[in-house]
Amino acid sequence: MQPSSNIPIQLRSYQGASLMAQLDINLTEAPLPIEPLNQLCAQDGLTSLHVLVDASQGEPALLEQLFVLLQGLYRPLMRGNNKQVWVVWQRSGESIMRAGAQALCQIAALELARKGVSINFIHQRYALSDQQRQCLLHWQFAHYCTAQAFSLPEAPLSQLEKREELL
């Protein structure tokens, strides 16, 4: 289940390894959907939130969209505790916009750390595979990381599990 080419950002919520909800966000066509964001973050049992950013088009407005989304998530995430947020900047090797997105994530992570919310950034030239997503959902030490940036290799799940130092 990968983002479609015309939807730059997808938000997916998980309880453990189970997908609970998905919200497509395109701020060039509509304003930020505040109520659905609040509902998504208030779900009982929510443990992990994945923000999938399709950066393949290389549009400068994507950074602004990520900023608006993180700003919109701030209050709903502050109301809960012990949430894991992964921002996945995918399908792009461009480094300047990636650095800006990473900085936005680090600032948000530092702001939300006091509530036990951790935000981490993953960047890669390809889309996050189902195997990599499962690895993130099952990674037992994920709650110890915040404000970190990772680049995942294209490897089978068994290899990723054996090499947790990659995460």
Side-chain angles (χ1 to χ4, degrees):
M1 190 174 5
Q2 302 301 332
S4 66
S5 60
N6 60 346
I7 303 296
I9 301 175
Q10 278 188 349
L11 202 55
R12 295 180 184 172
S13 62
Y14 294 91
Q15 178 179 19
S18 301
L19 179 65
M20 296 172 66
Q22 177 175 310
L23 181 62
D24 294 334
I25 298 173
N26 189 345
L27 298 176
T28 59
E29 296 175 1
L32 186 67
I34 298 296
E35 190 53 36
L37 275 183
N38 288 334
Q39 292 172 358
L40 192 116
C41 292
Q43 295 175 87
D44 288 336
L46 175 69
T47 57
S48 184
L49 197 59
H50 290 189
V51 179
L52 304 174
V53 181
D54 183 355
S56 62
Q57 302 302 317
E59 296 184 29
L62 200 53
L63 276 179
E64 184 178 344
Q65 289 186 38
L66 180 60
F67 173 77
V68 170
L69 176 61
L70 290 172
Q71 188 178 31
L73 286 171
Y74 181 81
R75 271 213 172 107
L77 288 173
M78 281 297 279
R79 291 185 195 119
N81 286 321
N82 301 321
K83 306 284 190 260
Q84 179 72 41
V85 179
W86 293 97
V87 176
V88 183
W89 189 265
Q90 56 190 7
R91 297 188 174 130
S92 175
E94 199 279 324
S95 61
I96 294 174
M97 284 184 45
R98 181 185 74 211
Q102 181 178 334
L104 287 173
C105 292
Q106 288 173 330
I107 292 166
L110 295 174
E111 287 289 322
L112 290 167
R114 64 178 176 235
K115 289 297 279 186
V117 176
S118 62
I119 299 177
N120 292 294
F121 183 78
I122 295 174
H123 57 90
Q124 52 196 37
R125 294 181 185 272
Y126 45 87
L128 186 70
S129 71
D130 288 337
Q131 293 173 330
Q132 290 169 324
R133 180 180 43 79
Q134 286 299 321
C135 186
L136 289 176
L137 292 170
H138 291 290
W139 187 36
Q140 61 184 339
F141 300 110
H143 61 278
Y144 292 114
C145 291
T146 194
Q148 301 298 309
F150 302 101
S151 180
L152 298 178
E154 237 179 320
L157 179 60
S158 59
Q159 290 178 9
L160 288 175
E161 288 174 340
K162 292 177 187 173
R163 298 180 58 193
E164 283 196 4
E165 71 272 6
L166 294 174
L167 299 172

